[in-house]
Amino acid sequence: MTAARSTRDGQDADEFDVEEALALVKNPGPRPSAEQLRAGDVPAGAPRGGDRAPAPGSGAQEGTPDKQAQHKATPWPEARVVAERAARSAPRRAPVSVPLDAALGLVLAAPLTALTDLPSFDTSAMDGWAVAGPGPWEVRGDGVLAGNATPERLTDGEAVRIATGARVPRDATAVLRSEHGRLDDKGRLHARHAQGHGPARQAGTLDVAHGQDIRPRGQECRSGDQLLPLGTLVTPAALGLAAAAGYDTLTVIPRPRVDVLVLGDELLTEGLPREGLIRDALGPMLPPWLRALGAEVVAVRRLGDDAAALHKAITGSRADLIVTTGGTASGPVDHVHPILRRLGAELLVDGVKVRPGHPMLLARIEAGRHLVGLPGNPLAAVSGLLTLAEPLLRTLAGRAAPEPYTMPCREAVQGHPYDTRLVPVSLRGERAVPLHYNGPAMLRGIAASDALAVVPPDGARAGQELELVDLPWASTGIDACFV
């Protein structure tokens, strides 16, 4: 169930927003302080936005925080390491051979070695004349264009017009650029300096060095040379290099396959919110984001709050990763934990000390197959995606971990008493600017951001260096990202 109803994701209520204020007015019970609301450390008996009072016998004591939930939660940096380790422990995935036009964004499963010399024959680096020996030269009537078969050899004192990329005739000693040659009234070619070279222009002639403006065979590589190592991300430039080196296909690590299960009876797929129903934000957002993280999204299914349908979807999936949205807490229609227990899945992460996104989870369903349970609140789901799904998918796809980096924060950022906070920021010059609208249910801030700042417990002062987690499209661009 998506956390419009925060009884499931109430642990994410680390922003004192309008919904929570209204809930306090409407619901009786002990009122938490504003600081407690911002921290998400609300007494168990105190209502949050949409929270129900604790059930009798639930173990929650009025006026005290839920220490058991805090105890189970994994620190944010450790949770990312666990997700990466889970992927490394999975059985090795067999490499696949794909056409060049399907390889963009994948990772090489074998080194790229040259299948031929590059260039594979001596070529002209410029438009001009191929010349043999010292000038002046008699110019042959024919010319040499790119793509021509082996041109007729030259003898000393001869020249022939040649185009960039064309095969250089045998016994040619240099290429004279068009701007460096002139023809006399008898049609003979003389070398001269281009206009505007100062003293060189005054000299009037140009010495033509042996091999000038000829790209010799094998200048870039010889057949068998390693061009790119195993593990290289296939970029557009890598595709061009592979094509130049003679490849039609590449051996790569296949994309991890992902099924997305959207939970929640209250979700609409079109139109305006109405009658207690809200629009599904995660169904449209997660698939392209997962593709940007290197995954192949096999299916997106909307299941509502149906335990039987969720069980059937999980057991019937053959994906490497199942991503669920909502239902990760312990409310009456939160089915993720009970079904994982029923399946005998191993919980690797059950809650993370991060805001938003605290009730996320990572489970191993069986060898090589995992489930990431995201909170239902949209920004909390993004937090779970980048905390657990990103390192797992990156490792399964064979991608290298990004180099961590920091940037000073332009202004102070409020922290959580004991949890990490992930705050959307915009990068302006050499500063990270925190953005508003960063509550767990909000996407307005993240939609305008370049990265998430990792704010330690107790916050950060203005000018303090903060670790940043880049969003996939911030550095590569939309078109390069979603392939």
Side-chain angles (χ1 to χ4, degrees):
M1 176 175 186
T2 301
R5 292 174 279 179
S6 59
T7 184
R8 316 198 175 167
D9 300 314
Q11 291 161 322
D12 266 328
D14 53 359
E15 298 294 330
F16 186 31
D17 57 19
V18 174
E19 291 179 359
E20 289 169 331
L22 290 174
L24 288 176
V25 172
K26 294 178 180 179
N27 292 284
R31 296 191 179 187
S33 68
E35 181 177 355
Q36 285 175 314
L37 283 166
R38 285 191 296 268
D41 189 13
V42 183
R48 297 184 181 94
D51 270 356
R52 301 177 180 89
S58 66
Q61 299 178 8
E62 289 193 4
T64 61
D66 184 356
K67 296 298 184 183
Q68 183 181 0
Q70 293 301 327
H71 177 73
K72 288 194 307 181
T74 303
W76 182 76
E78 182 181 329
R80 290 170 59 81
V81 172
V82 170
E84 186 174 313
R85 190 183 300 134
R88 293 193 188 284
S89 68
R92 181 184 174 90
R93 301 165 70 238
V96 294
S97 180
V98 300
L100 291 187
D101 61 3
L104 184 64
L106 300 179
V107 169
L108 292 179
L112 188 75
T113 55
L115 301 179
T116 182
D117 296 345
L118 286 181
S120 53
F121 46 80
D122 293 349
T123 61
S124 176
M126 293 287 172
D127 292 333
W129 294 268
V131 299
W137 302 272
E138 295 290 335
V139 180
R140 292 205 315 234
D142 56 345
V144 184
L145 301 177
N148 284 174
T150 304
E152 184 180 346
R153 69 190 304 168
L154 293 176
T155 59
D156 278 359
E158 280 191 322
V160 65
R161 269 283 185 184
I162 194 167
T164 301
R167 187 168 191 156
V168 173
R170 289 179 59 190
D171 297 331
T173 54
V175 169
L176 181 66
R177 301 184 186 191
S178 295
E179 63 268 26
H180 290 168
R182 66 175 180 87
L183 297 174
D184 62 19
D185 53 3
K186 296 181 180 180
R188 290 180 302 178
L189 175 66
H190 298 260
R192 67 173 182 181
H193 281 286
Q195 297 297 312
H197 285 273
R201 179 184 176 189
Q202 296 174 7
T205 60
L206 175 70
D207 292 330
V208 180
H210 192 280
Q212 175 179 301
D213 287 326
I214 292 176
R215 296 190 183 112
R217 176 175 182 166
Q219 181 185 50
E220 186 170 2
C221 67
R222 290 290 184 181
S223 180
D225 286 354
Q226 179 174 298
L227 304 177
L228 295 172
L230 167 76
T232 299
L233 182 68
V234 179
T235 63
L239 288 176
L241 177 61
Y247 283 85
D248 299 316
T249 62
L250 290 176
T251 301
V252 294
I253 299 173
R255 298 182 191 278
R257 292 162 56 87
V258 178
D259 282 342
V260 178
L261 307 180
V262 181
L263 313 181
D265 288 338
E266 75 279 23
L267 300 179
L268 295 169
T269 58
E270 60 183 13
L272 294 174
R274 63 181 184 274
E275 300 173 353
L277 303 178
I278 61 171
R279 279 296 296 269
D280 169 28
L282 298 183
M285 178 175 73
L286 290 181
W289 205 317
L290 289 163
R291 293 186 193 104
L293 296 177
E296 175 191 350
V297 178
V298 179
V300 180
R301 301 181 60 190
R302 291 174 171 83
L303 304 181
D305 290 320
D306 187 329
L310 179 59
H311 181 270
K312 183 178 179 180
I314 293 175
T315 55
S317 172
R318 299 270 58 89
D320 302 294
L321 174 65
I322 299 171
V323 175
T324 63
T325 68
T328 55
S330 55
V333 288
D334 289 331
H335 302 304
V336 175
H337 278 95
I339 288 175
L340 290 176
R341 286 194 295 268
R342 180 179 170 188
L343 295 175
E346 180 186 1
L347 270 178
L348 304 177
V349 175
D350 190 8
V352 177
K353 293 181 180 179
V354 67
R355 307 292 168 143
H358 177 273
M360 66 181 76
L361 64 85
L362 169 64
R364 181 182 290 117
I365 302 172
E366 59 186 37
R369 297 185 60 241
H370 295 84
L371 181 145
V372 168
L374 302 178
N377 275 319
L379 187 57
V382 169
S383 174
L385 195 67
L386 296 180
T387 300
L388 297 177
E390 187 276 333
L392 188 141
L393 289 172
R394 166 173 40 82
T395 306
L396 287 177
R399 295 187 178 189
E403 289 292 329
Y405 75 104
T406 64
M407 188 174 286
C409 197
R410 194 174 73 177
E411 57 197 58
V413 184
Q414 183 177 355
H416 189 274
Y418 40 79
D419 287 355
T420 299
R421 281 191 73 202
L422 299 181
V423 176
V425 295
S426 177
L427 306 185
R428 294 291 179 264
E430 299 300 318
R431 298 272 173 168
V433 181
L435 298 175
H436 299 294
Y437 306 105
N438 55 25
M442 299 180 180
L443 289 174
R444 186 171 172 181
I446 192 78
S449 68
D450 302 305
L452 291 174
V454 182
V455 180
D458 296 329
R461 65 186 183 280
Q464 181 174 332
E465 294 278 339
L466 293 177
E467 179 185 350
L468 296 183
V469 177
D470 276 334
L471 302 180
W473 50 87
S475 55
T476 60
I478 292 291
D479 292 338
C481 176
F482 302 112
V483 294

